[in-house]
């Protein structure tokens, strides 16, 4: 009786406490029932109830986005699709306006000009190409034009010089090429079947060379024509004329008489009788004239041709 009374008292004391986590009561014994939130009998009863099969129908909870969230998601997807279609249409329109295709080159158009800038890693301007309505300007340290096949430099320009690397430089203008200063070249040659002409319309033409100037006509004549005087001068050497025939035309002719007086005539045919052989005479000043040949020399230093010259 005492034991059962004690158990009833303990059960009454245990029921005063609110049940808590049943897992904690596993550590409690019979003597510590007052300190545990659940007794051993309650734990056995709870485990037996959990092990019994449940006859209730399982409840299914829907998973997903519903309501206004779903409508907002559809709206954003539709807005993104419309934006992609507009971007694709704008890209196709830009490519069509710029005439950009795989086979044709890229075309850049502007109402004023087109400017292409080149900068270094610090953002400083290193080169600029401006294509305008009046001119094409390039600002850089060195400008080069290269051949497409071999990469050879055809034209290059910098602050010091301009180099033309093409095989031939052809100027087709009617006025030719105008150079403000000297032009240096080892060879000047005309095109095949064309004449080469060096001309100074208003001033003189000077050809100078410290080691000599050679004028050679391999298959033609060499003519030197002037309005006034033609000077052939050699300061230290001599003037050498080497030819099978040397002709001096339009020389004045002096007539010889027994009185040792001379008179000038315009041509040898004016003297009578007809004279066919003449003597070439030279005045003290170097002037040449013709004198009728005789048994002896007919040249006289006191000839009127020498006096009138």
């Amino acid at each position: 009786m005492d034991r059962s009374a004690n158990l009833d008292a303990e059960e009454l004391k245990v029921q005063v406490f609110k049940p808590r986590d049943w897992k904690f009561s596993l550590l409690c014994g019979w003597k510590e029932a007052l300190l545990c939130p659940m007794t051993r009998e309650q734990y056995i009863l709870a485990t037996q109830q959990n092990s019994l099969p449940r006859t209730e129908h399982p409840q299914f909870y829907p998973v997903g986005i519903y309501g206004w969230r779903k409508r907002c998601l559809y709206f954003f997807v539709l807005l993104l699709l419309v934006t992609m279609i507009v971007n694709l249409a704008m890209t196709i329109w830009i490519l069509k306006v710029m005439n950009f295709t795989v086979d044709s080159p890229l075309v850049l158009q502007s109402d004023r000009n087109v400017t292409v800038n080149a900068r270094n890693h610090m953002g400083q301007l290193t080169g600029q190409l401006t294509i305008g309505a009046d001119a094409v300007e390039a600002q850089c340290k060195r400008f080069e034009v290269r051949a497409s096949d071999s990469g050879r430099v055809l034209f290059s320009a910098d602050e010091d010089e301009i180099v033309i690397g093409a095989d031939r430089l052809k100027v087709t203008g009617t006025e030719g090429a105008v150079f403000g200063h000297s032009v240096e070249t080892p060879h000047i040659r005309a095109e095949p079947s064309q004449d080469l002409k060096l001309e100074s319309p208003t001033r003189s033409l000077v050809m100078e060379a410290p080691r000599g100037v050679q004028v050679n006509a391999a298959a033609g004549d060499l003519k030197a024509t002037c309005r006034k005087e033609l000077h052939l001068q050699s300061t230290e050497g001599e003037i050498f004329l080497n030819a099978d025939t040397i002709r001096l035309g339009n020389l004045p002719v002096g007539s010889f008489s027994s009185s040792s007086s001379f008179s000038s005539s315009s041509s040898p045919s004016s003297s009578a009788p007809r004279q066919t052989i003449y003597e070439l005479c030279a005045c003290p000043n170097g002037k040449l004239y013709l004198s009728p040949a005789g048994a002896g020399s007919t040249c006289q230093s006191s000839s009127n041709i020498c006096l009138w010259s």
Side-chain angles (χ1 to χ4, degrees), residues 26 29 31 58 82 88 92 95 120 139 200 214 233 261 288 296:
L26 294 176
K31 296 181 180 181
V82 172
L88 181 61
I92 296 174
L95 295 178
N120 56 10
Q139 298 180 4
S200 178
Q214 295 182 1
Q233 182 181 1
S261 62
L288 300 179

Side-chain angles (χ1 to χ4, degrees), residues 144-155:
E144 292 184 355
V145 177
R146 295 180 176 270
S148 59
D149 52 354
S150 61
R152 185 182 59 176
V153 178
L154 301 179
F155 178 85

Side-chain angles (χ1 to χ4, degrees), residues 3-302:
R3 185 175 182 180
S4 59
N6 292 333
L7 291 175
D8 294 337
E10 291 179 356
E11 291 177 358
L12 292 175
K13 291 179 181 180
V14 171
Q15 291 178 358
V16 174
F17 298 95
K18 295 182 180 181
R20 296 181 181 178
D21 191 3
W22 56 270
K23 295 181 180 179
F24 182 74
S25 62
L26 294 176
L27 302 177
C28 299
W30 290 102
K31 296 181 180 181
E32 291 85 3
L34 296 176
L35 300 178
C36 294
M38 181 181 295
T39 61
R40 185 181 301 272
E41 289 80 1
Q42 293 176 349
Y43 170 74
I44 296 172
L45 181 61
T47 54
Q48 291 178 355
Q49 292 178 357
N50 291 334
S51 62
L52 295 177
R54 295 182 180 181
T55 59
E56 298 179 357
H57 297 284
Q59 296 181 358
F60 297 96
Y61 296 95
V63 178
I65 301 176
Y66 298 93
W68 64 271
R69 294 182 180 87
K70 185 176 182 180
R71 290 192 293 271
C72 290
L73 179 61
Y74 286 163
F75 173 75
F76 284 119
V77 172
L78 181 61
L79 181 62
L80 180 61
L81 181 62
V82 172
T83 305
M84 292 175 60
I85 294 174
V86 172
N87 289 337
L88 181 61
M90 290 294 294
T91 304
I92 296 174
W93 178 76
I94 292 173
L95 295 178
K96 185 175 181 59
V97 169
M98 297 178 62
N99 295 327
F100 180 78
T101 59
V102 178
D103 299 331
S104 63
L106 178 63
V107 179
L108 300 178
Q109 296 181 356
S110 175
D111 296 336
R112 296 184 178 180
N113 55 36
V114 176
T115 302
V116 180
N117 295 330
R119 300 180 182 274
N120 56 10
H121 63 282
M122 301 180 61
Q124 299 176 353
L125 184 64
T126 58
Q128 186 180 66
L129 178 64
T130 303
I131 303 175
D134 299 331
V136 177
E137 298 180 359
Q139 298 180 4
C140 55
K141 293 183 179 180
R142 183 177 179 85
F143 179 76
E144 292 184 355
V145 177
R146 295 180 176 270
S148 59
D149 52 354
S150 61
R152 185 182 59 176
V153 178
L154 301 179
F155 178 85
S156 64
D158 54 14
E159 295 181 357
D160 298 331
E161 63 180 2
I162 296 177
V163 179
I164 299 176
D167 296 335
R168 178 181 298 180
L169 175 62
K170 188 175 183 180
V171 181
T172 59
T174 56
E175 298 296 330
V178 179
F179 300 94
H181 298 282
S182 62
V183 178
E184 297 181 4
T185 176
H187 190 193
I188 299 177
R189 181 180 62 184
E191 293 184 358
S193 303
Q194 298 293 332
D195 297 334
L196 177 63
K197 186 177 182 180
L198 301 177
E199 181 182 6
S200 178
T202 58
R203 293 294 185 269
S204 60
L205 179 62
V206 179
M207 299 175 62
E208 295 181 354
R211 301 185 63 178
V213 176
Q214 295 182 1
V215 181
N216 183 18
D221 299 335
L222 178 62
K223 296 181 181 180
T225 304
C226 62
R227 182 178 179 182
K228 293 183 178 181
E229 297 179 355
L230 177 62
H231 296 272
L232 298 177
Q233 182 181 1
S234 177
T235 57
E236 297 181 0
E238 59 182 8
I239 298 175
F240 181 70
L241 300 177
N242 183 11
D244 296 336
T245 302
I246 298 176
R247 298 178 59 183
L248 300 175
N250 297 328
L251 291 178
V253 179
S255 60
F256 176 76
S257 62
S258 59
S259 59
S260 300
S261 62
F262 295 85
S263 62
S264 61
S265 59
S266 60
S267 63
S269 60
S270 61
S271 61
R274 183 176 178 82
Q275 186 72 29
T276 57
I277 299 176
Y278 293 89
E279 184 179 0
L280 180 62
C281 302
C283 298
N285 58 1
K287 186 176 181 179
L288 300 179
Y289 70 94
L290 298 179
S291 178
S297 177
T298 58
C299 295
Q300 298 291 333
S301 61
S302 60

